[in-house]
Amino acid sequence: MADLALSDVRVLDLGSDIPGPYCARLLADFGADVIKVEPLEGDPSRRTGPFPGDLPHPEKSGLFLYLNANKRGITLDYSTRSGRMLLDKLVAWADVLIENNLPSRARALGLDWERLRGVNPKLVLTSITPFGQTGPYADYSSEEIALFAMSGRMYIHGQPDREPLRYAPDTLWFQTGATAAVATMGALFASRRFGIGQHVDISGLEALAGNVDTRTLFYTMGGTVPKPVEATISPTAGVVPCADGYMLMIAAGERFFRRLLRAIGMTELLSDPRFATLAARMEHRDELEALLLPWFAERTRAQAFAELQRFSVMCAPIQTVNEVFNDPQVQERAFFVEHAHPAAGQVTLPGAPFQMQETPWSLRRPAPLLGQHNAEVYGELLGYGNDDLRVLSGTGVI
């Protein structure tokens, strides 16, 4: 077995909440030695649920446990002079530093590229912000729903006669973190090939506007401003009720409609002029649904899914979260993994976002307790003795 793909990569994770920690988690999952640096009171996500038994506890936050598995953890107040000195020693050790402060805040904390490149010229500094390092909004605070609203995507999300809707919570932050991980790896390759460091500027707005769908191209290619499209209950394009819930159907196009009719044994409708074209089917929609809906109503989602997929009809059961855990495809690939955490006990987390044959994803250690690896990192890595650590702890530096 080869080493883990990133086993020679050293990362400082100074991120908080989701985007920075998720970026670092992706690198840690494939072998990078990631040290999570937290303020003395801990990462804010330690105070974000869900918690076992709905009892808040800083060592048991499900979000923190998920985002910070496979990392070592230390505490450090790098706003102090002594803390800044310790941070610089860690920067000299690291290949990558990930942070998600607003630019002015990063400069105040000494996390700006001009200062850090003087400490480690080959460093990759990945900065994740809502709007990027430059521009009139660079220092604007934001949440992911605000970026979703500004991206143009929220405007077309929902029913035409209702207010716009959002994606599922935190989707944008995870997308931004994944974008940052890819960008960090590109900069790391450049660092090793050319012997250079660089500042990687990740804008959450740009990570969404350019990476989630093709709607922006409708405007750039044809000047069209996409508008909300009515979601319908339809056996060909939309949501359709089955015996135990709803299916999503994607069979409006001509070849997909032909496949659907073959799958449900109604090929005689192919020669019916009422359903010969998409326009005709829209005109006779009620008649078509009256013919097709009973087929779905007599079947569970699983039965319909299996029968339709045998004819390559694109469709999917609309599942609850607990059904995702029991989905046979998810179970076969063992996506969710269990591991033991010293405070939270046995926890189940999402697993590998993708699979690599020779250097696979692995869950090697649970998320750290607050300051769990202070002695290991400051002592073994930086050479501080026990007396030094007691002074640093007593003065509120670590």
Side-chain angles (χ1 to χ4, degrees):
M1 177 67 71
D3 288 339
L4 297 174
L6 304 180
S7 59
D8 63 341
V9 175
R10 296 173 294 192
V11 179
L12 289 180
D13 173 13
L14 275 65
S16 61
D17 293 318
I18 293 176
Y22 184 60
C23 170
R25 167 73 199 273
L26 290 174
L27 304 181
D29 285 353
F30 290 91
D33 182 2
V34 178
I35 297 176
K36 180 170 183 60
V37 182
E38 297 183 71
L40 272 58
E41 69 275 16
D43 188 295
S45 65
R46 288 183 179 274
R47 298 180 284 280
T48 303
F51 299 96
D54 202 26
L55 298 174
H57 189 291
E59 301 293 1
K60 298 181 181 180
S61 160
L63 182 62
F64 183 86
L65 298 182
Y66 171 52
L67 292 173
N68 296 290
N70 280 335
K71 302 176 185 178
R72 294 192 280 176
I74 63 173
T75 52
L76 177 62
D77 181 1
Y78 46 89
S79 68
T80 66
R81 181 176 179 182
S82 297
R84 182 76 61 85
M85 182 180 65
L86 287 173
L87 176 65
D88 286 355
K89 290 184 177 182
L90 291 170
V91 170
W93 165 86
D95 301 301
V96 173
L97 189 154
I98 299 165
E99 59 92 19
N100 52 274
N101 296 284
L102 294 174
S104 61
R105 176 66 176 162
R107 287 191 294 273
L109 292 170
L111 299 179
D112 54 290
W113 173 238
E114 292 307 315
R115 196 189 80 79
L116 293 178
R117 72 189 304 183
V119 179
N120 181 353
K122 294 184 181 180
L123 180 72
V124 172
L125 170 61
T126 299
S127 295
I128 305 169
T129 57
F131 300 103
Q133 296 292 304
T134 58
Y137 304 158
D139 269 317
Y140 281 13
S141 298
S142 186
E143 250 299 346
E144 60 119 28
I145 187 173
L147 298 180
F148 185 56
M150 293 183 66
S151 72
R153 191 63 183 85
M154 188 171 180
Y155 175 72
I156 58 174
H157 199 59
Q159 296 282 30
D161 58 345
R162 297 291 303 273
E163 62 277 6
L165 300 175
R166 65 178 297 176
Y167 278 158
D170 301 324
T171 301
L172 171 56
W173 282 152
F174 281 100
Q175 169 69 20
T176 301
T179 300
V182 173
T184 299
M185 288 307 305
L188 188 61
F189 277 122
S191 175
R192 295 191 169 179
R193 182 174 183 183
F194 304 117
I196 59 170
Q198 60 181 304
H199 191 190
V200 180
D201 176 3
I202 303 294
S203 157
L205 179 61
E206 293 165 4
L208 179 63
N211 293 294
V212 173
D213 63 28
T214 59
R215 305 299 173 122
T216 54
L217 300 179
F218 284 87
Y219 179 71
T220 58
M221 301 301 290
T224 301
V225 178
K227 297 183 181 301
V229 177
E230 182 182 7
T232 60
I233 294 178
S234 167
T236 57
V239 174
V240 59
C242 289
D244 63 343
Y246 289 94
M247 288 282 293
L248 175 68
M249 294 298 301
I250 313 165
E254 300 305 329
R255 61 189 172 118
F256 299 112
F257 182 65
R258 290 195 294 271
R259 291 178 190 174
L260 172 62
L261 294 185
R262 285 196 292 270
I264 64 177
M266 294 185 180
T267 53
E268 70 276 10
L269 299 182
L270 289 171
S271 57
D272 191 321
R274 295 174 298 169
F275 314 125
T277 65
L278 178 60
R281 291 193 289 276
M282 292 296 293
E283 181 180 351
H284 299 282
R285 175 179 155 184
D286 291 344
E287 297 158 80
L288 181 62
E289 290 181 357
L291 291 168
L292 300 189
L293 285 176
W295 186 91
F296 291 91
E298 295 169 355
R299 289 165 173 79
T300 65
R301 290 167 295 162
Q303 290 170 331
F305 186 47
E307 292 183 42
L308 294 175
Q309 284 291 348
R310 279 200 289 271
F311 288 82
S312 298
V313 177
M314 292 190 290
C315 59
I318 297 177
Q319 300 189 125
T320 60
V321 170
N322 59 307
E323 288 175 334
V324 176
F325 280 82
N326 295 317
D327 186 282
Q329 177 72 13
V330 174
Q331 289 195 335
E332 174 69 22
R333 290 173 64 84
F335 174 68
F336 291 101
V337 293
E338 289 190 2
H339 75 142
H341 185 272
Q346 201 72 10
V347 296
T348 301
L349 299 173
F354 53 87
Q355 297 189 7
M356 295 169 64
Q357 183 178 20
E358 297 296 336
T359 56
W361 178 96
S362 65
L363 185 56
R364 304 179 303 285
R365 67 167 85 221
L369 303 173
L370 184 61
Q372 179 180 347
H373 301 100
N374 279 358
E376 180 178 311
V377 171
Y378 294 123
E380 298 175 15
L381 186 63
L382 300 186
Y384 284 85
N386 291 334
D387 291 342
D388 300 320
L389 297 182
R390 278 192 287 272
V391 171
L392 290 168
S393 178
T395 54
V397 176
I398 66 173

